[in-house]
Amino acid sequence: MKNIYKPLKSKIENIVHESPGIKSFVLKPDEEFRFDTGQFIELTLPGFGEAAFTPSSSPFEKKRFEVTIMKAGYVTSLFHDIKKGIPVGVRGPYGAGYPVKQFEGKDVLILGGGVGLAPLRSLLLTLVAQKQNYKRIILCYGAKTPSDIIYKDQFKDWEKKGVQILRSVDKPDTSWQETVGVVTVLLDKIKVDTSKAVVAVCGPPVMMKFGTFKLLEIGFKPQSIYLSMERNMSCGVGKCGHCAFGPYFVCKDGPVFTYDQIKDFPDVWL
Ligand SMILES: Cc1cc2nc3c(=O)[nH]c(=O)nc-3n(C[C@H](O)[C@H](O)[C@H](O)COP(=O)(O)OP(=O)(O)OC[C@H]3O[C@@H](n4cnc5c(N)ncnc54)[C@H](O)[C@@H]3O)c2cc1C
Ligand code: FES
């Protein structure tokens, strides 16, 4: 019988410094690794611990994949200290990702804040690879300062591939020529027919909360708002109960939920 807790051996092939507290890691698993965009993995640093991350790369690449990690505490700080070539373990992929089939024929709006752009980058790369299936792809991204923006060198390429991009920062520097303010202000600058559009949101809880309220205000239906939720996880496979969320387990039923599914839970925006 397959041991569901046994990690797949992988090597850290490259490390990219994205911003002062965020790094991306290119992982080369010993075997091909398949995931659906929006699913997550448990990444193990042998002898130290593991944590949940959502691959930030395209699911069409099977030989290697990327995770983007923000330094948050014990395990993530250890990941920030490691060097190329270190062996790690990968469990998963787990959960339900973005139902991209249901996005076909629609405008897809992507609303991200900070490291929340990680799962959304995987979604964006998925959509761009099948651009003919979607009406428009629009990315609204916000970060605290210009130096906190991740994937800095990739926006131009996404724009060339037809993605409409709007960015904001809370605190500009002298070179910043785009929007200043919280990411939700970008929603005032776009025109979408909300009856024929879906939106994927990921970021810090406060941004997810006010982003969702603003999206409802401009006419998005709760069932068209896709939220990538985070809860403390342990097993990742619906057995330990750590990630209980109303009647759901985030690891099994999520991490992607529509706002409609979860709007009545008291602890949505923890
Ligand atoms: C499905 C899923 C996908 C995720 N994807 C990413 C990703 O792509 N990139 C990324 O940087 N982070 C992601 N996270 C968050 C990441 O798992 C946590 O930052 C990490 O577990 C913290 O571990 P630590 O040992 O460094 O911190 P700890 O020392 O355990 O804790 C530090 C702080 O982080 C909080 N924390 C711990 N675990 C979580 C958690 N699972 N979610 C939210 N807060 C937590 C603690 O409450 C504490 O405040 C994801 C989480 C989930 C559940
Ligand atoms: S992490 Fe164990 S049930 Fe979800």
Side-chain angles (χ1 to χ4, degrees), residues 5 40 42 231-244 249-252:
Y5 298 109
F40 74 96
E42 288 284 345
R231 285 295 181 273
N232 278 318
M233 298 229 176
S234 183
C235 71
V237 289
K239 301 216 180 283
C240 71
H242 270 77
C243 66
F249 287 141
V250 172
C251 67
K252 208 158 61 73

XYZ file of all heavy atoms in Angstrom, residues 5 40 42 231-244 249-252, ligand 2:
163
model
N 2.224 9.510 3.531
C 3.047 10.513 4.222
C 4.494 10.524 3.724
O 5.302 11.307 4.193
C 3.026 10.271 5.740
C 1.640 10.390 6.322
C 0.960 9.268 6.773
C 0.994 11.628 6.407
C -0.323 9.376 7.297
C -0.286 11.740 6.918
C -0.938 10.612 7.358
O -2.207 10.719 7.866
N -1.828 22.432 -3.294
C -0.643 22.748 -2.498
C 0.169 21.494 -2.207
O -0.284 20.372 -2.457
C -1.059 23.452 -1.193
C -1.680 22.541 -0.161
C -0.915 21.989 0.858
C -3.035 22.226 -0.209
C -1.481 21.145 1.805
C -3.612 21.387 0.733
C -2.825 20.850 1.744
N 3.180 19.773 0.789
C 3.908 19.902 2.054
C 5.378 19.714 1.702
O 5.764 18.702 1.119
C 3.458 18.830 3.056
C 2.073 19.052 3.636
C 2.004 20.141 4.713
O 3.076 20.539 5.219
O 0.898 20.576 5.036
N -4.961 27.735 6.320
C -5.190 27.379 7.718
C -3.980 26.573 8.167
O -3.252 26.020 7.340
C -6.460 26.517 7.877
C -7.770 27.305 7.753
C -7.926 28.309 8.882
N -9.159 29.084 8.847
C -9.349 30.216 8.181
N -8.381 30.685 7.423
N -10.480 30.872 8.248
N -3.751 26.493 9.480
C -2.646 25.660 9.944
C -2.888 24.230 9.513
O -3.976 23.708 9.685
C -2.525 25.740 11.470
C -1.756 26.970 11.879
O -0.742 27.298 11.254
N -2.230 27.664 12.879
N -1.885 23.633 8.925
C -2.049 22.287 8.396
C -1.073 21.337 9.053
O 0.004 21.748 9.494
C -1.764 22.295 6.903
C -2.704 23.169 6.161
S -3.377 22.329 4.791
C -4.520 23.551 4.210
N -1.440 20.065 9.076
C -0.491 19.060 9.548
C -0.444 17.921 8.542
O 0.461 17.848 7.720
C -0.888 18.585 10.947
O 0.061 17.686 11.404
N -1.471 17.028 8.562
C -1.387 15.852 7.686
C -1.515 16.221 6.204
O -0.869 15.621 5.364
C -2.450 14.817 8.078
S -4.134 15.310 7.674
N -2.377 17.177 5.886
C -2.593 17.575 4.490
C -3.576 16.682 3.744
O -3.884 16.950 2.588
N -4.067 15.641 4.408
C -4.901 14.669 3.682
C -6.241 14.374 4.385
O -6.806 13.306 4.228
C -4.130 13.328 3.471
C -3.022 13.517 2.447
C -3.559 12.798 4.781
N -6.716 15.320 5.176
C -8.061 15.169 5.760
C -8.138 14.209 6.930
O -9.215 13.678 7.226
N -7.017 13.937 7.628
C -7.058 12.950 8.712
C -6.908 13.563 10.116
O -7.469 13.062 11.075
C -5.963 11.898 8.515
C -6.098 11.148 7.197
C -5.712 9.701 7.334
C -5.842 8.959 6.027
N -7.230 8.632 5.686
N -6.137 14.654 10.247
C -5.813 15.133 11.599
C -6.796 16.171 12.134
O -6.887 16.395 13.339
C -4.400 15.721 11.618
S -4.269 17.301 10.747
N -7.510 16.852 11.265
C -8.504 17.845 11.688
C -7.946 19.228 11.978
O -8.702 20.126 12.324
N -6.636 19.431 11.822
C -6.037 20.740 12.123
C -6.651 21.879 11.302
O -6.688 23.011 11.754
C -4.533 20.727 11.794
C -3.684 20.296 12.933
N -3.558 18.984 13.310
C -2.915 21.011 13.784
C -2.740 18.912 14.338
N -2.344 20.131 14.649
N -7.065 21.576 10.082
C -7.462 22.656 9.163
C -8.975 22.757 9.024
O -9.454 23.274 8.020
C -6.827 22.410 7.799
S -7.478 20.938 7.018
N -9.711 22.258 10.066
C -11.174 22.282 9.996
C -11.666 23.705 9.770
O -11.167 24.661 10.376
C -11.754 21.715 11.279
N -12.580 20.575 5.416
C -11.156 20.574 5.738
C -10.486 21.353 4.600
O -10.678 21.011 3.424
C -10.581 19.164 5.789
C -10.998 18.380 7.008
C -11.299 17.030 6.913
C -11.072 18.979 8.258
C -11.672 16.304 8.032
C -11.445 18.267 9.387
C -11.754 16.929 9.278
N -9.701 22.375 4.965
C -9.081 23.206 3.918
C -8.163 22.349 3.044
O -8.084 22.539 1.833
C -8.324 24.403 4.534
C -7.523 25.161 3.474
C -9.301 25.362 5.196
N -7.485 21.359 3.657
C -6.516 20.556 2.896
C -7.176 19.668 1.852
O -6.567 19.319 0.850
C -5.660 19.711 3.831
S -6.571 18.423 4.689
N -8.429 19.265 2.103
C -9.098 18.301 1.228
C -10.132 18.987 0.335
O -10.202 18.755 -0.844
C -9.808 17.265 2.121
C -9.979 15.892 1.508
C -10.173 14.839 2.563
C -11.402 15.040 3.434
N -12.691 14.770 2.806
S -4.291 19.153 7.629
Fe -5.001 17.354 8.606
S -7.119 17.395 8.203
Fe -6.343 19.045 7.022
